[in-house]
Amino acid sequence: MQAPAQARDPLAGKLPVSLITGFLGSGKTTLLRRLLRDPGMNRAAVIINEFGEVGIDHELVASSSESMTLLSNGCLCCSVRTDLQETLRELFIRRRAGEVIDFERVLIETSGLADPVPVLHTLQSDGLLGAQYRLDCVVTLVDAVNGLQNLGDMPEAAKQAAVADRIVITKSDIAKPESVAALEARLEAMNPYAARAVAVNGEVEVAFLRDIGPRSVRATPAELDRWLAPSGEARPAQGAYLRERVRAGAHDASIGSFCLWFEKPFTWDSFAAAVQVLTSLRRPDLLRVKGLVNVAGEPGPVLVQGVQHVFHPPVRLEAWPGPERRSRLVFITRKLAREAVEALFAAVGMLDAPRA
């Protein structure tokens, strides 16, 4: 992980990408229809596996080519014929050449059995794509009727929920109220740092699912809180160098979540060293990391996020958006205890003590 260096705002101007995932039958098609009918989504590019899988209503389709369909609401629908990287590159090239609409955001729908991590790797590891696109959020749909069983029996379903920024519980209108409550409790234990909503008859507020990730190095406290955790999450009291997480998710299908707060600023070398050790030893089990790092000598926090061993280039925010100055890191892990991660960062902090 290289130290952050930037001559301009590295977030401004990039096209936000939302990944829509969820297990088979979770209602991704219904949600996509809802999004495409919203006036605020009338300049979106939608990437799917095949047009037939989405079942977009016929009245939305205006014209089509071999791989792209222009929808009557102004959106562009594109099928993946080769791989996602090539599709995203082609979309941007054709947008810049004026061959397709000047879309303002991208929605990527995965198949029900897909692991979302490779898609996130695509955005993080491809330099050309990283210069034009930024990850806005991961939206995971969970079926209230079969969700509990899927989370317990299907590793893909558990992983989809674990890496989410937003979770939408679907089919609540046909599920028993106690089933919905039990599912919410299970999801809260797995990933308390993903805000949740219950869709009623397939309807959910579009504002809940858009503009999640920071859009500028001048992000406000509210914008950073919206990205890192549900609103209203309590902050820990002031204390030692390393503070315990705000909330820790109980292990569920071997997946847990926690947030670490750090009182003492890092040097960039010490933070990068801790992350390198962690990713080298436990990369498959480090499902997702995101947060703000207080780096000594920087005027503002450094924004970091990664999936397994692949991290986005770090972004230096211009200034601290509020009085809070502590580093805050959210971890979603599999078979990796909070205490082990705490011990690693504490050991690096001791080694990084000022020289006499």
Side-chain angles (χ1 to χ4, degrees), residues 25 45 59 63 76 82 95-96 114 127 148 150 221 263 285 291-292 327:
E59 66 267 19
S63 62
L76 179 71
T82 51
R95 174 184 183 269
R96 185 168 55 185
L148 274 175
N150 290 339
E263 303 288 345
D285 301 317
L292 303 173
S327 300

Side-chain angles (χ1 to χ4, degrees), residues 112-126:
L113 295 173
D115 180 349
V117 168
V119 180
L120 299 178
H121 281 176
T122 295
L123 295 173
Q124 293 167 333
S125 60
D126 189 304

Side-chain angles (χ1 to χ4, degrees), residues 2 8 10 14-15 85-86 88-89 92 96 119-135 310-313:
Q2 295 182 345
R8 59 179 182 83
K14 291 185 180 181
L15 296 166
Q85 286 173 295
E86 290 187 24
L88 284 168
R89 288 196 196 103
F92 186 80
R96 185 168 55 185
V119 180
L120 299 178
H121 281 176
T122 295
L123 295 173
Q124 293 167 333
S125 60
D126 189 304
L128 292 176
L129 295 182
Q132 312 299 341
Y133 299 98
R134 63 172 176 83
L135 177 66
V310 180
F311 275 70
H312 282 287

Side-chain angles (χ1 to χ4, degrees), residues 196-215:
R196 294 187 306 277
V198 177
V200 179
N201 295 320
E203 292 293 314
V204 65
E205 288 291 332
V206 174
F208 177 71
L209 304 176
R210 58 177 288 174
D211 299 330
I212 308 302
R215 292 170 284 173

Side-chain angles (χ1 to χ4, degrees), residues 23-27 141-153 157 168-184 186-187 198-199 201:
F23 202 67
L24 295 169
S26 60
L141 279 67
V142 184
D143 173 1
V145 176
N146 301 306
L148 274 175
Q149 182 174 349
N150 290 339
L151 291 173
D153 297 344
V168 178
I169 297 176
T170 61
K171 302 184 181 178
S172 62
D173 50 314
I174 61 174
K176 297 179 180 179
E178 56 268 28
S179 297
V180 178
L183 178 59
E184 288 209 78
R186 184 83 165 265
L187 293 168
V198 177
N201 295 320

Side-chain angles (χ1 to χ4, degrees), residues 190 248-260 274-275 277-289 308 330-345:
M190 288 182 65
H251 282 269
D252 191 320
S254 302
I255 291 174
S257 57
F258 51 90
C259 180
L260 299 182
V275 171
V277 171
L278 188 58
T279 56
S280 297
L281 296 177
R282 300 299 297 270
R283 68 176 63 181
D285 301 317
L286 198 65
L287 299 183
R288 194 167 183 196
V289 180
Q308 293 179 333
V330 173
F331 292 84
I332 309 294
T333 64
R334 178 177 54 197
K335 298 180 181 178
L336 179 58
R338 169 182 58 83
E339 291 78 9
V341 180
E342 284 182 339
L344 170 61
F345 277 91

